[in-house]
Amino acid sequence: MDTPLPSLQSLRVLDAAARLGSYARAAEELGLTHGAVSHQIRALEAWVNAPLFEKAGRQMTPTSTALGLLARTRTAIGILGEAFGHPVVRRQTQGLVVATTPGIARFWLLPRLRELPEGLIASIRTSSSLDAPAEEPADAYLRYGPGGWPALQSECLSAETVAPVAHPRFKKDGELEPEAIMSLPLLASPFQTWLTWFEAAGLGARQTPAPILELSDMGLVIDAAALGLGVALAPRKLVEPHVRRGELVRLADLEAPEVYGYHLAWPPTTKKSDAIAHLRTWLRAEFAADAPSQPCG
């Protein structure tokens, strides 16, 4: 009886993990889960009775055993690819994996996706963190934050302003004075501080009232305001659709400039530079079309 051989899938997993130095990136490229990649690697390690990867920080480094195995199996896979008229190892997808915050994804990016060139974005991942990269690797990061993230190139796309918005029931008699807004139930997120707006309104020397409710994401703050739970200090670009639909109203005309802005960030050694260049061009045009547009500082 012939000795059974490892599956071709397990060899593809080995190849991807060694090239990318990451089980997570290998899973992403091959359309598998992280657990499936780990299982395939463990099965191969049992087959050769030797470890195939060593962990160094977040990097998975192939051992000498893995490199020797790859040198032989890649040749064999290439021969199979020629025999069947197409490469067996899956080509890296050109669609971008974009990481952003839930609020940006929901209120700004998703409503514009129909205008995006087809196939440019393959996956959208969300995290409330201002850090980039986030826990999951991505090809590009659309972030609301300070910019200047280590080990990444970045471009500021737009500055932002914030203003108080609430359910229409909070604005029955026209625009409210800042002192009146200060007395209302205030909602907050970790990324906006009411002191910014009250200082712009000339009330910075007074005691800023504590919010009645803090939520971890700006999208939740906007939803809470639309439900009438309180007043949100919201970024104009994210809250504009709610205002247009009449779900929220601005309680005052005053808008305070934010210290943060919208940035696109990406790894400088990316293999998807053409796709990221297309994404940058599209994002620039979309942010420039916003009215009013706030150029970066």
Side-chain angles (χ1 to χ4, degrees):
M1 181 181 293
D2 293 337
T3 303
L5 296 174
S7 69
L8 185 59
Q9 174 76 335
S10 66
L11 299 180
R12 294 172 63 205
V13 167
L14 174 64
D15 177 83
R19 280 188 293 105
L20 301 171
S22 165
Y23 287 5
R25 285 188 178 274
E28 175 188 313
E29 178 174 303
L30 298 173
L32 303 173
T33 65
H34 188 283
V37 169
S38 297
H39 175 76
Q40 295 280 6
I41 296 297
R42 286 196 301 270
L44 283 175
E45 288 177 332
W47 190 279
V48 300
N49 195 29
L52 296 177
F53 289 90
E54 296 175 346
K55 189 171 184 180
R58 294 186 178 181
Q59 190 79 6
M60 300 301 292
T61 304
T63 63
S64 58
T65 301
L67 294 175
L69 186 60
L70 281 167
R72 297 190 296 274
T73 58
R74 282 173 176 168
T75 300
I77 289 174
I79 293 171
L80 286 173
E82 292 177 3
F84 288 96
H86 61 83
V88 177
V89 178
R90 179 178 170 180
R91 294 179 179 175
Q92 186 181 29
T93 178
Q94 291 303 303
L96 295 172
V97 177
V98 176
T100 188
T101 65
I104 294 176
R106 180 179 173 189
F107 299 130
W108 194 91
L109 185 56
L110 288 182
R112 291 170 166 79
L113 279 187
R114 289 184 179 178
E115 307 302 322
L116 187 71
E118 184 176 356
L120 185 56
I121 293 180
S123 175
I124 298 174
R125 299 175 178 175
T126 61
S127 167
S128 296
S129 172
L130 292 184
D131 295 329
E135 293 180 1
E136 287 291 330
D139 298 311
Y141 303 85
L142 180 56
R143 279 287 186 263
Y144 182 65
W149 293 282
L152 292 172
Q153 289 183 263
S154 64
E155 175 181 325
C156 184
L157 299 165
S158 177
E160 181 60 290
T161 60
V162 290
V165 297
H167 189 277
R169 72 180 180 86
F170 282 91
K171 189 180 180 181
K172 296 179 179 179
D173 300 314
E175 182 176 334
L176 301 180
E177 294 296 325
E179 291 87 349
I181 294 173
M182 186 176 282
S183 67
L184 296 175
L186 303 181
L187 305 171
S189 83
F191 312 124
Q192 267 81 32
T193 169
W194 274 97
L195 183 60
T196 300
W197 191 82
F198 285 127
E199 283 184 339
L203 301 178
R206 303 192 184 185
Q207 180 68 32
T208 302
I212 64 161
L213 182 63
E214 181 175 295
L215 299 115
S216 62
D217 176 69
M218 179 49 65
L220 291 175
V221 174
I222 293 173
D223 286 341
L227 290 170
L229 299 180
V231 181
L233 185 66
R236 167 185 273 273
K237 288 177 173 55
L238 299 192
V239 81
E240 193 63 31
H242 291 75
V243 174
R244 286 198 300 265
R245 293 193 297 265
E247 298 165 358
L248 291 170
V249 294
R250 292 188 181 87
L251 299 186
D253 289 336
L254 174 66
E255 296 186 0
E258 261 285 70
V259 294
Y260 291 155
Y262 299 93
H263 300 258
L264 179 67
W266 63 94
T269 57
T270 179
K271 296 180 180 179
K272 297 185 178 181
S273 56
D274 289 344
I276 288 176
H278 286 307
L279 180 63
R280 289 168 65 193
T281 299
W282 181 78
L283 287 171
R284 287 173 188 157
E286 289 298 314
F287 274 102
D290 281 348
S293 178
Q294 292 86 29
C296 292

